[in-house]
Each structure stands twice: as C-alpha cells, then as structure tokens.
Amino acid sequence: MQVTQSNMKETVQAKWNKRPLIISGPCSAETEAQVIETAERLARTGKIDMLRAGIWKPRTRPGSFEGIGTKGLPWLQQAKKLTGLPVAVEVATGKQVEDALHFDVDVLWIGARTTVNPFSVQEVADALRGADVPVLIKNPINPDLELWTGAVERVAKAGIKQIGLIHRGFSAYGNTEYRNAPMWHLAIEMKRRNPELMIINDPSHICGRRDILMEVAQKAIDLDFDGLMIESHIDPDNAWSDAKQQVTPERLAEMLGEIVWRKEDINSEEYHAALEKLRQQINHLDDELMQILSQRMKIAEKIGEYKKNNNITILQTNRWNEILERAFRKGEKLGLGKEFITKYFDAVHMESINHQNKIMNS
Ligand code: PEP
Ligand code: MN
C-alpha cells in the first residue's frame, strides 16, 4: 500500500493503541543512508511499530554531536515512505515542533532535559496548539513527579489528546550500575496517579550499556508497562551518540523474542479463584502484622514511661545498633533482604520514637 500522510494517521492510531508498543531507531539520525538502512532492517524484523531518531540532540556537554538538524527530517519522510513505519522525533523548542510537523513527523516526544524546564515545556506546548499529533513525555532527569505531571498538564492544556509517558530513569551522582537510576517506584507512582496515560519504558537511557538492556526491558514488562523504546543502530559501536547502549536491529529483534510478554489479567475463573485465596491470606497476615506492630508500640510507650521517670534519652544508639544487627541475622535466615530490613526497621523505629516522644513530653 502506498504510504500517504492520511492513511498514516490511521496507522499511527492503531500503533498508539497496540500493546506492547515497540519504538526503535537510532539515538541520532546521522546520514540519509543510515536512517534508511536502519528503518529497513527494523521493518524487516516485523517486530517494530515506530521508528525513532533524534534530529536535535540535547547534549549535556558541548562539543559532542548535537544532531543533524532540520535537514534530517526529509530522510525520516523517505524512511517512512519505504517502510510504512510512523516516525517519532524529540522536540525541545517551538521551532523544532513547527519543523517536525512541517515534515509530517507522526509522534513527538519531549526529552528528559526539556521536561525539567517549565519554560521550554510551555514553548513546546504553545507550538503544539491546534496540532493533531500524539506526544510522549519523558520523565525529567531529576526524580520529581510534579515536574513530569506539570509537563503532561501543559501539553494537555494545549489541546493534545493523545499523551503518553516514557520512563527513562533519573540522573544520580557517581558511578552506578545504570546510566540513569530506574527508581521503579516513581514510575509505578506516576502510573498509579495517571491510569489513563500509557507508559512505556526506555531501557537504553536507563542502562547506558547494551549488556543489561534485556533485564530492564523484562522488568518493565513484568511491571505492566505498555511498551518499550529501545535505540538501535546499523553499526552501534560507531554511532555518533550513545554508542555503548545501542544494538543492531537484528539483535533487538532477538531480544524482543526472548522477552516473556505478560498480560495484566486473564479471563479464567480458576486463576481468579486461586489468586483471590492467596490475596485473602495476604490480607490476613497484613492484619496480624498491624496488630503486632500496635502491641510493639504499646510496649515502646511503657519504655517511654520508664525513661521519662528516670530522665533518660529516647534514642540509645547502642540499643538501636543491637536491634538492627539482630534483625539482619534473623532476616538473612528468613530470606529477607538487608535493604528491606533496614527500611522496615527504620520506619518501625521512627514510629516507636514518635510514640515515646508523646509520652515523654506529655
Ligand atoms: C534520546 O532519546 O536519545 C534522549 C536524548 O533521551 P533522554 O531525553 O531520555 O536523555
Ligand atoms: Mn540517546
């Protein structure tokens, strides 16, 4: 079928609603030949829904490749014509929005370094007014759900009806396993607050390296994300940006074949009955835990009375260390992680201090 911009709208609709939605392509459009070969090799896998390519690259430091600019947009048009894949581009200014729309870019996304800046987001939103184009919004580089939400609101107020989220991790100082810490709990919280918005995961910018892309992608699917955006390049090691994290279209197809795709729910009475039974056991145990915690607080209050009568401080560091050491030893035997034990006992200990504080200062 001849790809025209009007039947493309239907294709984009269908892709937007498809689960999982898979977007791939190079970090940056570099040359016309590279864009076209990438698109053709991706299309040949039959596993890709949209082609991505960075045209304007917001680089953290000057001096690295800053994107090919507007001259790359016709290359994307050509790639779309040859493969039928809708194309997605990052926009950070009003002019970039205009240029992208002028060259029939099908989906726009706002990058992490733009989401942090309300002035930039507003400029993009103003340029979007009246346009009928889906927009994906990456999380801001810093772990702030309000900025992410603010960007969604600005774009929505400009009249954009189809908005989706991209979770690409958060900057952290120092070397970690990841280029950007996933902080999954933040993505989960954003999903909880906005159940109507689709959210896809970007393992490439979380990992910053190709060897751990699979595990992050799998985790996203296990957490019921709606899709993935993964960078691919015909010659990853020689990519002009983000070389370490890109994979060839063929390797990407292999990875997508290895992922265990899960669904949020199934229509089976047996499954639901079994699940319900286990959930009741969990509820029951949670109730018991709370009873026990409440008893623990009562005892802490009694200790508070004693301390008050003898004018002793609430916090006794030795005792707190002893509690933690004991909990680590026991927890290890019971299969509970050290990080969990620390967080749990911190919370319990703080609550005990609050209870004692009330007693001591009443
Ligand atoms: C990108 O997608 O190539 C990019 C620059 O991503 P981010 O905004 O997540 O850093
Ligand atoms: Mn990139």
Side-chain angles (χ1 to χ4, degrees), residues 306-358:
Y306 277 117
K307 286 183 181 167
K308 179 178 183 176
N309 294 337
N310 295 286
N311 228 1
I312 308 273
T313 58
I314 295 181
L315 179 65
Q316 280 154 328
T317 308
N318 285 344
R319 169 66 182 148
W320 174 222
N321 273 328
E322 186 188 309
I323 291 179
L324 271 182
E325 290 297 327
R326 214 171 146 263
F328 288 151
R329 278 197 307 275
K330 284 226 155 189
E332 200 179 353
K333 285 194 192 122
L334 293 169
L336 300 171
K338 208 166 174 173
E339 192 188 336
F340 166 71
I341 295 277
T342 310
K343 280 191 193 150
Y344 170 78
F345 273 91
D346 259 341
V348 169
H349 186 237
M350 268 324 289
E351 183 70 7
S352 278
I353 289 179
N354 291 343
H355 279 254
Q356 292 193 11
N357 200 14
K358 258 192 218 140

Side-chain angles (χ1 to χ4, degrees), residues 180-349:
N180 289 293
M183 302 194 190
W184 294 101
H185 59 289
L186 292 183
I188 292 169
E189 173 60 11
M190 194 64 183
K191 226 161 110 64
R192 189 191 65 75
R193 291 191 197 174
N194 302 282
E196 74 292 355
L197 298 183
M198 78 137 99
I199 179 165
I200 65 175
N201 181 259
D202 172 348
S204 303
H205 293 88
I206 288 178
C207 298
R209 47 191 254 216
R210 53 184 85 95
D211 61 320
I212 54 171
L213 287 174
M214 257 300 282
E215 58 190 77
V216 168
Q218 182 67 62
K219 179 142 185 180
I221 297 309
D222 291 348
L223 290 175
D224 193 32
F225 276 66
D226 298 303
L228 300 169
M229 180 192 258
I230 301 185
E231 289 180 342
S232 57
H233 195 282
I234 50 172
D235 183 7
D237 285 333
N238 292 307
W240 297 2
S241 61
D242 290 353
K244 288 202 188 87
Q245 70 198 32
Q246 304 202 60
V247 291
T248 62
E250 295 71 27
R251 173 62 197 137
L252 175 68
E254 240 170 59
M255 282 171 44
L256 294 172
E258 285 166 27
I259 289 176
V260 184
W261 301 97
R262 306 192 199 275
K263 27 195 181 312
E264 191 183 7
D265 209 348
I266 53 170
N267 234 337
S268 145
E269 250 168 60
E270 205 181 318
Y271 160 82
H272 280 281
L275 196 66
E276 193 44 41
K277 229 171 158 180
L278 292 170
R279 284 183 169 159
Q280 270 169 17
Q281 288 177 29
I282 295 251
N283 286 350
H284 186 69
L285 288 172
D286 280 345
D287 289 350
E288 262 180 58
L289 275 173
M290 283 200 285
Q291 291 286 351
I292 290 174
L293 282 171
S294 154
Q295 282 173 23
R296 191 190 191 284
M297 295 309 153
K298 297 235 161 62
I299 295 178
E301 285 170 15
K302 262 193 201 146
I303 294 179
E305 296 278 358
Y306 277 117
K307 286 183 181 167
K308 179 178 183 176
N309 294 337
N310 295 286
N311 228 1
I312 308 273
T313 58
I314 295 181
L315 179 65
Q316 280 154 328
T317 308
N318 285 344
R319 169 66 182 148
W320 174 222
N321 273 328
E322 186 188 309
I323 291 179
L324 271 182
E325 290 297 327
R326 214 171 146 263
F328 288 151
R329 278 197 307 275
K330 284 226 155 189
E332 200 179 353
K333 285 194 192 122
L334 293 169
L336 300 171
K338 208 166 174 173
E339 192 188 336
F340 166 71
I341 295 277
T342 310
K343 280 191 193 150
Y344 170 78
F345 273 91
D346 259 341
V348 169
H349 186 237

